[in-house]
Amino acid sequence: QVQLVESGGGWVQAGGSLRLSCAASGRTFSSYGMGWFRQAPGKERWFVARINWTGGTTVYADSVKGRFTISRDNAKNTVYLQMNNLKPEDTAVYYCAVDAGPYYRGSGRRQNEYAYWGQGTQVTVSS
């Protein structure tokens, strides 16, 4: 059974940093792209970042470009999201996700492009 477990969330002041991790188990995802989404209270879940199966291609939402960095360690079946210069508007539950199929070359910006999801980790940024 596939499981994705996020960790690393918490409370931080504006301008601070956090590093989220998402550990996958149940299968190997070295051939799958992975992504991060976030959902603020009362809002829809939105795309944050995506990394392809090799780690050589990354995509970011405009709102986080230059502040967030997605990376992966295929040996550990883990994807990371380094978040710097955090802002109050970054406050949300952050979810990691895995592509619906291997070697997927789509944009990865839509939720329906992903088949597996974690339970989410809360990030709160105070001003």
Side-chain angles (χ1 to χ4, degrees):
Q1 183 178 356
V2 174
Q3 275 194 319
L4 302 178
V5 179
E6 300 99 335
S7 60
W11 177 91
V12 65
Q13 287 189 322
S17 297
L18 285 174
R19 188 193 195 206
L20 305 184
S21 299
C22 172
S25 61
R27 66 183 299 178
T28 299
F29 287 109
S30 57
S31 333
Y32 290 72
M34 301 180 77
W36 287 95
F37 285 71
R38 67 186 182 186
Q39 186 169 18
K43 296 189 177 181
E44 296 181 0
R45 192 175 298 186
W46 288 99
F47 170 77
V48 174
R50 167 182 174 74
I51 188 165
N52 76 335
W53 59 92
T54 67
T57 300
T58 56
V59 181
Y60 297 93
D62 288 344
S63 59
V64 307
K65 202 173 295 183
R67 300 187 297 121
F68 289 12
T69 302
I70 188 171
S71 61
R72 66 188 297 161
D73 184 338
N74 284 342
K76 296 181 178 180
N77 230 18
T78 299
V79 64
Y80 305 97
L81 185 68
Q82 177 66 44
M83 306 185 295
N84 298 329
N85 190 22
L86 283 160
K87 304 176 180 180
E89 51 264 42
D90 295 318
T91 295
V93 177
Y94 284 71
Y95 299 89
C96 69
V98 177
D99 281 353
Y103 309 115
Y104 180 69
R105 296 180 181 273
S107 70
R109 292 179 179 269
R110 301 187 307 271
Q111 294 183 58
N112 62 8
E113 296 180 82
Y114 298 88
Y116 304 101
W117 291 85
Q119 83 290 347
T121 186
Q122 176 70 46
V123 171
T124 303
V125 185
S126 64
S127 57

